[in-house]
Amino acid sequence: NKTSLFLLLSIALIICGCDNTRTKKIQNDNISVKMDTVVYCDSIDDPINSKIIVHTKAVLPFFAKNDSKTTDLINTISKNIFNIECNESTDNKTTVIQFTNDILDSYRSPLEEKANLSLYKDINKTHKYEISNEITPVYNKNGILCFCRTSEMKKNGTQTMLSNYYYSFDINNNSRISIADIFNPDYTSTINKLLKEKLMQQEKVESTSQLIDLGYFNIDNLVVSNNFYFTDSSIVFNYEPFEIACHAIGDVCISLDLDILKPYFRTDIN
């Protein structure tokens, strides 16, 4: 519920004002989740004889049988990160294998097209595509668990795509934390303005026109989104390639301090 989220954010704000000794003590006393690592790789030849290799590495909450709280948390994570519904018999390995196979299935030819595959029988196997997804925790304190999903694609060994997407979860409620859970919607435009000001500060420019000159061709897309994660003292918003800037700039991360954002929190969370 909103009260729980407020307490989590309040703890983070308290940590910001403590000295290093106290910070370590608070961090050690707060809830964190034991993690488990699963790695899986498989491949197929697609209809035109290219090799498709999919590699998935995921660091996920340790699966404990008969622990309904852990099961609920894993189910929430699976639905949001992998788009997979879990049940009592699903474990982390099963989820990662299904996620990998779902990607490979998108490259398999539908049955109704099998008859046309003979058109490609003389094509040499000249292309190799590698698709990698790595899911890792980036914050695991104070009842908040944040993950980054790094997706990379290579063609014949050359990287063609790299992006990061973040997911934040409330451990106490087994739910994903969204922007709507944190901020009063009346202040959305104010937070958007803070994001632009912080980006200009990062890039050492004084106007949005100068940002455009640097390659931020779609600056109007610089708005709050659910692609964010927490640190002890801030919320970090991430923007994928082409979302607000050209491919050469890559992912753009903008960190806003919690003490600056606190006036814009929802009033019903306390």
Side-chain angles (χ1 to χ4, degrees):
N1 56 33
K2 300 295 187 294
T3 302
S4 174
L5 180 58
F6 177 77
L7 290 174
L8 300 179
L9 293 172
S10 297
I11 290 170
L13 286 167
I14 291 170
I15 290 174
C16 295
C18 297
D19 59 30
N20 291 335
T21 303
R22 179 59 179 160
T23 297
K24 291 179 181 178
K25 185 176 187 302
I26 291 177
Q27 290 172 357
N28 290 335
D29 287 348
N30 277 302
I31 299 172
S32 62
V33 178
K34 184 179 179 182
M35 308 304 287
D36 182 28
T37 301
V38 179
V39 179
Y40 184 72
C41 183
D42 201 355
S43 65
I44 62 168
D45 291 341
D46 76 356
I48 58 172
N49 233 10
S50 292
K51 175 69 76 174
I52 311 295
I53 304 170
V54 179
H55 179 273
T56 305
K57 178 180 179 181
V59 182
L60 300 168
F62 181 77
F63 184 82
K65 290 185 177 179
N66 302 320
D67 183 347
S68 60
K69 189 172 182 63
T70 303
T71 302
D72 290 345
L73 177 61
I74 291 174
N75 187 39
T76 300
I77 291 171
S78 295
K79 285 192 294 186
N80 283 276
I81 298 180
F82 300 106
N83 195 29
I84 292 173
E85 291 278 355
C86 296
N87 54 47
E88 293 81 1
S89 62
T90 305
D91 58 15
N92 290 334
K93 181 179 179 180
T94 304
T95 299
V96 169
I97 291 174
Q98 182 178 337
F99 175 72
T100 304
N101 287 334
D102 286 347
I103 296 174
L104 287 171
D105 285 346
S106 67
Y107 288 89
R108 291 189 171 99
S109 177
L111 290 176
E112 59 269 22
E113 294 181 9
K114 293 288 187 182
N116 296 324
L117 295 186
S118 59
L119 298 174
Y120 306 106
K121 64 181 181 180
D122 296 326
I123 297 179
N124 294 324
K125 190 180 298 182
T126 57
H127 296 304
K128 181 176 74 171
Y129 295 93
E130 299 169 78
I131 303 166
S132 299
N133 283 279
E134 185 167 350
I135 297 90
T136 53
V138 294
Y139 190 79
N140 183 11
K141 299 175 186 175
N142 310 316
I144 296 176
L145 180 57
C146 304
F147 288 91
C148 174
R149 187 186 68 199
T150 300
S151 301
E152 181 184 35
M153 179 176 282
K154 293 181 179 180
K155 178 180 179 181
N156 298 330
T158 301
Q159 185 187 89
T160 58
M161 185 274 289
L162 178 67
S163 65
N164 296 289
Y165 201 93
Y166 294 87
Y167 305 80
S168 298
F169 299 93
D170 182 341
I171 296 173
N172 296 310
N173 294 324
N174 293 322
S175 60
R176 184 178 177 186
I177 303 171
S178 71
I179 287 300
D181 296 321
I182 304 172
F183 297 113
N184 184 327
D186 293 339
Y187 294 116
T188 299
S189 60
T190 301
I191 301 169
N192 293 343
K193 182 179 178 182
L194 290 173
L195 286 167
K196 288 184 180 180
E197 290 174 350
K198 186 61 179 288
L199 179 58
M200 287 190 289
Q201 180 183 340
Q202 289 177 190
E203 294 290 0
K204 298 180 174 59
V205 299
E206 297 180 352
S207 68
T208 54
S209 61
Q210 289 176 298
L211 285 175
I212 294 172
D213 291 340
L214 292 176
Y216 291 89
F217 63 90
N218 206 358
I219 202 66
D220 289 339
N221 276 358
L222 181 54
V223 295
V224 291
S225 75
N226 288 322
N227 189 356
F228 70 89
Y229 65 95
F230 290 89
T231 72
D232 285 338
S233 60
S234 66
I235 298 178
V236 183
F237 295 89
N238 183 75
Y239 302 89
E240 298 179 281
F242 295 116
E243 191 171 0
I244 64 171
C246 63
H247 183 267
I249 290 179
D251 278 19
V252 178
C253 286
I254 304 174
S255 176
L256 296 179
D257 292 344
L258 283 174
D259 55 358
I260 293 175
L261 292 172
K262 187 176 181 181
Y264 312 117
F265 289 169
R266 294 177 60 115
T267 56
D268 61 342
I269 61 177
N270 60 1

